[in-house]
Amino acid sequence: MGKRSCDQYVWEPCDDQGSSTSSSWSVQILGTWSSTREPGNFNSPRGLRWHRNRLVVCDRENHRVQILDEDNQYEAEIRFDSQFPNHFQPWDVAISDDDKYYITDIGNNQIIVCYQNCEIIQVINLTVKVYGITIMAGFVWVTDCQEYSILKYTLSGKFVAKAKLKGHDRVDGIAQYPYSIVSTVSNRLLVSDEYNNIIQVLDSDMNYLDSYCTEGSRDGEVRLPRGIDLDSHGNIYICDWRNHRILKLRENGEFICNLFEGEIASPNHIAVNGNGDRIAITVGRSVSASENQIFLFSK
């Protein structure tokens, strides 16, 4: 199959003090809308991950997970056309060190554990829809936005614990809408608490430790935080949905800068590579890309 070309732009980033620098990001717009599963195109893409220099994309409404190669071209896909009662609808993906894919499937209320060749290792059946997913220290954590909870499983699928975090007002440790979850090298969990407009920090037993950010539009503030990811230095990148930007923090929550203001609108999900020099973002809307495309910023 032929390789797709990508639109390219240039964008000026900010430095660690939040000001413009002389360096620049190249920007590629990956894919376009497709309901026919054309390789490299997307229909409502959701969770993203970098794995071994490949970009892994949950292509939800095309009912597959796409893997793009080092040149950002289609390489392979994970799909399950008839194995389950309903359409496979991947929302997020986490990948273990031994190359197992843990995929939240909101179409069937389950977590699918498989290899890239679509060989299913196991299916963790659930009674609720789970969305964000991460792996840390031999366990899997997922977010349940409808029940305002975090669920913990072993890598083999055994249920361990549930932290029900329902609340109506901002309360430390009580999440109103836990959208995304990532794990740090210090074995902490970061949860984007969308309706409380904070990032919650939890320990491996899901106890509340701290929170980052406050509600607003100034530096260090967020309005409806969604996707979240880290680079290998521990820096935190947050999809600041209503402020139409990416917020970058240090590992301790200290503000570094805002990224890509004026270039993206309503960022939903984000994947940052280890060096922090390749950032993939799905958006709700944008002046230069539809919600069925992916921004890839590189430098």
Side-chain angles (χ1 to χ4, degrees):
M1 296 184 181
K3 291 193 173 185
R4 290 183 47 80
S5 61
C6 304
D7 297 328
Q8 282 197 305
Y9 306 88
V10 173
W11 181 248
E12 296 297 325
C14 58
D15 61 18
D16 285 358
Q17 285 73 45
S19 59
S20 178
T21 69
S22 59
S23 62
S24 62
W25 296 82
S26 64
V27 183
Q28 290 180 284
I29 308 299
L30 305 181
T32 186
W33 178 82
S34 174
S35 62
T36 58
R37 293 182 175 175
E38 181 182 346
N41 284 344
F42 309 103
N43 189 353
S44 194
R46 289 299 185 257
L48 307 161
R49 285 288 184 273
W50 289 104
H51 181 63
R52 305 192 189 283
N53 295 320
R54 271 107 173 122
L55 183 62
V56 180
V57 182
C58 291
D59 189 7
R60 190 187 72 175
E61 292 300 329
N62 278 330
H63 315 299
R64 62 184 177 181
V65 174
Q66 291 199 61
I67 295 95
L68 307 184
D69 65 18
E70 295 183 34
D71 296 320
N72 311 316
Q73 306 295 332
Y74 175 89
E75 180 175 272
E77 64 184 50
I78 298 170
R79 56 191 280 188
F80 307 102
D81 291 334
S82 59
Q83 288 93 325
F84 306 116
N86 302 313
H87 284 305
F88 170 53
Q89 289 191 308
W91 183 273
D92 200 7
V93 58
I95 307 166
S96 64
D97 292 338
D98 57 352
D99 297 323
K100 294 176 183 176
Y101 288 68
Y102 290 72
I103 305 167
T104 54
D105 173 14
I106 64 171
N108 294 281
N109 296 342
Q110 61 189 10
I111 302 169
I112 301 171
V113 187
C114 65
Y115 293 113
Q116 183 178 309
N117 65 3
C118 304
E119 177 188 348
I120 296 176
I121 302 167
Q122 71 175 124
V123 176
I124 305 171
N125 293 302
L126 307 167
T127 58
V128 297
K129 278 184 169 61
V130 292
Y131 292 84
I133 187 168
T134 193
I135 297 172
M136 181 180 75
F139 295 94
V140 178
W141 281 265
V142 291
T143 64
D144 174 7
C145 299
Q146 295 175 326
E147 293 290 330
Y148 307 96
S149 302
I150 309 296
L151 306 177
K152 180 180 181 180
Y153 294 86
T154 65
L155 290 177
S156 61
K158 181 180 178 181
F159 175 75
V160 177
K162 175 180 179 179
K164 191 171 179 64
L165 305 174
K166 189 173 182 179
H168 298 288
D169 299 306
R170 177 179 168 176
V171 180
D172 290 338
I174 299 179
Q176 286 197 33
Y177 200 82
Y179 192 95
S180 294
I181 187 169
V182 294
S183 52
T184 73
V185 294
S186 56
N187 287 340
R188 293 185 173 186
L189 299 169
L190 302 180
V191 181
S192 58
D193 183 353
E194 184 175 10
Y195 294 164
N196 273 324
N197 292 293
I198 56 176
I199 303 301
Q200 297 217 23
V201 186
L202 310 176
D203 67 16
S204 58
D205 292 319
M206 296 182 289
N207 297 311
Y208 171 81
L209 297 175
D210 200 355
S211 64
Y212 301 153
C213 305
T214 56
E215 182 178 1
S217 300
R218 295 176 298 182
D219 291 347
E221 297 178 340
V222 294
R223 298 173 67 206
L224 301 182
R226 291 194 171 181
I228 184 170
D229 205 3
L230 309 169
D231 62 27
S232 61
H233 306 290
N235 296 316
I236 305 164
Y237 300 76
I238 303 162
C239 290
D240 189 358
W241 190 84
R242 186 159 285 175
N243 286 325
H244 312 300
R245 64 190 182 188
I246 301 301
L247 185 66
K248 183 178 178 180
L249 308 177
R250 291 191 171 84
E251 187 175 10
N252 63 1
E254 179 184 351
F255 173 76
I256 297 176
C257 67
N258 299 310
L259 291 167
F260 316 133
E261 288 186 288
E263 180 71 8
I264 58 174
S266 306
N268 282 318
H269 297 267
I270 186 169
V272 183
N273 72 344
N275 291 330
D277 57 7
R278 301 186 79 194
I279 301 176
I281 304 167
T282 63
V283 297
R285 60 186 185 276
S286 172
V287 296
S288 57
S290 75
E291 65 177 340
N292 296 306
Q293 295 176 309
I294 296 171
F295 280 87
L296 177 58
F297 293 88
S298 304
K299 66 176 181 177

